[in-house]
DNA sequence: GAGTTTGAAACT
DNA sequence: CAGTTTCAAACTC
């Protein structure tokens, strides 16, 4: 039974606050107090969010009980996208604007300020705007992905950004002797298999070499982690304790952390 | 566009 | 695991 039928069949006179609160004459009060409490709770929680009129009481109660937190929602979206990527090596999802917008990318304010500092040089700024690092926090339309230029690896090693992202090389690529062209599936499968075997041998963690979202920590020595060589920087991520970088300028700013601590 | 630099990936 | 080499991308001129 949904709210509307409850309201009508039970003979209740609607009031703006609790539509079921007043009983019409001649109708039996067939609802248990706990049921009514459920409806009150439901209504007060949902009235500003969306209409509950067509939803069964039980269903609404289930929604309340299982109402996910924001983090849970984001995790689910991320899992859905990962699942789609697994099913779609060519990353067709990149062209799906709905899915893209479903996963918001969290860019921290301090990250932006560091990036701005790093592109003071106008030439660098121009180059940076052109750069596409072929990682998942970058522009993600297929047309935005930069073609590879592999010369020696047949586009079958992780050096190849196309292969690394599990998509085929395109006509725009300037690679030589490309096996990642969709016509050498055996070779590609073997190459993937080899990399997976290597992963298992290394087995430091649940590493997925083909998940370009993963950041395992950079080792930048000269570029202060503020150039496109840095795997953290190009993903708009701060360097962390996992990194082995030197003279890093891509860390969380201590002053802001101190302010937060003082507030606490 | 050619050459250099860089750091990840691969190798020993 | 550490050191070295190879590689392709980022960067400079």
């Amino acid at each position: 039974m949904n709210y509307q039928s409850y309201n009508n069949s039970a003979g209740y006179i609607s009031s703006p606050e609790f539509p079921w609160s007043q009983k019409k004459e001649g109708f039996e009060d067939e609802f248990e107090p706990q049921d009514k409490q459920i409806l009150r709770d439901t209504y007060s929680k949902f009235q500003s969010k969306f209409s509950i009129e067509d939803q069964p009481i039980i269903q609404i109660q289930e929604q309340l009980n299982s109402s996910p937190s924001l983090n849970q929602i984001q995790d689910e979206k991320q899992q859905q996208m990962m699942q789609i990527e697994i099913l779609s090596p060519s990353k067709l999802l990149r062209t799906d604007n709905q899915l893209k917008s479903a996963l918001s990318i969290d860019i921290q304010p301090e990250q932006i300020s560091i990036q701005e500092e790093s592109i003071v040089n106008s030439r660098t700024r121009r180059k940076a705007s052109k750069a596409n690092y072929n990682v998942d926090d970058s522009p993600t339309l297929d047309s935005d992905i930069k073609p590879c230029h592999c010369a020696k690896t047949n586009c079958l090693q992780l050096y190849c950004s196309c292969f690394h992202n599990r998509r085929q090389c395109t006509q725009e690529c300037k690679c030589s002797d490309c096996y990642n062209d969709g016509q050498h599936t055996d070779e590609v499968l073997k190459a993937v298999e080899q990399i997976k075997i290597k992963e298992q041998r290394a087995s430091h963690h649940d590493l997925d070499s083909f998940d370009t979202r993963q950041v395992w920590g950079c080792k930048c020595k000269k570029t202060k982690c503020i150039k496109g060589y840095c795997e953290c920087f190009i993903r708009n991520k701060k360097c962390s304790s996992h990194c082995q970088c030197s003279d890093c300028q891509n860390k969380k700013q201590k002053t802001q952390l101190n302010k937060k601590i003082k507030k606490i």
Side-chain angles (χ1 to χ4, degrees), chain A residues 33-43 57 61 64:
Chain A
Q34 60 266 33
D35 292 338
K36 286 200 277 190
Q37 186 58 45
I38 288 170
L39 280 165
R40 284 193 188 92
D41 292 340
T42 302
Y43 189 76
I57 294 169
Q61 179 67 11
L64 279 174

Side-chain angles (χ1 to χ4, degrees), chain A residues 24 39 49 76 108 152-153 169 172:
Chain A
K24 289 175 186 172
L39 280 165
K49 301 289 182 187
E76 279 173 23
Q108 298 166 27
K152 301 181 179 180
T153 58
C169 293
E172 295 188 6

Side-chain angles (χ1 to χ4, degrees), chain A residues 94-234:
Chain A
R94 290 177 183 282
T95 61
D96 187 329
N97 289 329
Q98 277 187 320
L99 276 171
K100 264 178 39 177
S101 63
L103 184 65
S104 61
I105 295 165
D106 181 23
I107 300 174
Q108 298 166 27
E110 60 266 35
Q111 176 72 33
I112 293 167
S113 65
I114 284 183
Q115 280 186 308
E116 284 173 350
E117 285 170 22
S118 71
I119 54 178
V120 168
N121 183 313
S122 61
R123 177 185 287 171
T124 307
R125 180 193 293 269
R126 183 162 44 83
K127 293 254 181 176
S129 68
K130 281 170 65 180
N132 182 332
Y133 303 107
N134 282 325
V135 294
D136 273 8
D137 286 345
S138 307
T140 52
L141 286 173
D142 258 351
S143 56
D144 290 339
I145 296 174
K146 234 180 155 185
C148 72
H149 298 78
C150 305
K152 301 181 179 180
T153 58
N154 304 114
C155 300
L156 290 181
Q157 295 193 2
L158 295 178
Y159 295 123
C160 176
S161 55
C162 303
F163 178 77
H164 198 165
N165 281 291
R166 295 300 293 115
R167 63 183 176 84
Q168 288 175 14
C169 293
T170 67
Q171 287 189 336
E172 295 188 6
C173 292
K174 293 175 180 171
C175 39
S176 307
D177 299 323
C178 179
Y179 281 21
N180 189 31
D181 57 357
Q183 299 186 9
H184 295 78
T185 47
D186 285 348
E187 284 85 351
V188 171
L189 284 174
K190 277 179 191 172
V192 171
E193 210 170 308
Q194 278 192 334
I195 287 161
K196 292 288 175 189
I197 289 168
K198 252 184 257 174
E199 276 174 14
Q200 288 174 355
R201 281 190 198 141
S203 68
H204 301 304
H205 29 53
D206 295 329
L207 161 71
D208 179 358
S209 299
F210 292 100
D211 185 355
T212 52
R213 268 184 304 269
Q214 290 181 315
V215 179
W216 295 102
C218 67
K219 297 173 184 174
C220 305
K221 287 171 184 168
K222 299 181 179 179
T223 54
K224 302 178 182 180
C225 305
I226 53 172
K227 290 197 174 182
Y229 300 117
C230 176
E231 65 167 286
C232 305
F233 180 80
I234 64 180

Side-chain angles (χ1 to χ4, degrees), chain A residues 220-260:
Chain A
C220 305
K221 287 171 184 168
K222 299 181 179 179
T223 54
K224 302 178 182 180
C225 305
I226 53 172
K227 290 197 174 182
Y229 300 117
C230 176
E231 65 167 286
C232 305
F233 180 80
I234 64 180
R235 290 173 171 83
N236 280 324
K237 289 198 165 68
K238 294 291 180 185
C239 291
S240 68
S241 56
H242 296 108
C243 299
Q244 299 173 41
C245 43
S246 308
D247 195 15
C248 179
Q249 291 185 14
N250 187 34
K251 281 180 178 158
K252 281 186 182 174
Q253 289 175 347
K254 285 180 182 176
T255 50
Q256 292 195 355
L257 282 175
N258 289 340
K259 281 181 190 173
K260 283 181 185 174

Side-chain angles (χ1 to χ4, degrees), chain A residues 70-85:
Chain A
L70 185 60
N71 283 343
Q72 285 173 316
I73 291 168
Q74 286 176 336
D75 285 349
E76 279 173 23
K77 283 175 180 171
Q78 200 148 4
Q79 281 173 10
Q80 283 170 5
M81 292 189 71
M82 288 173 73
Q83 183 66 27
I84 290 165
E85 286 193 335

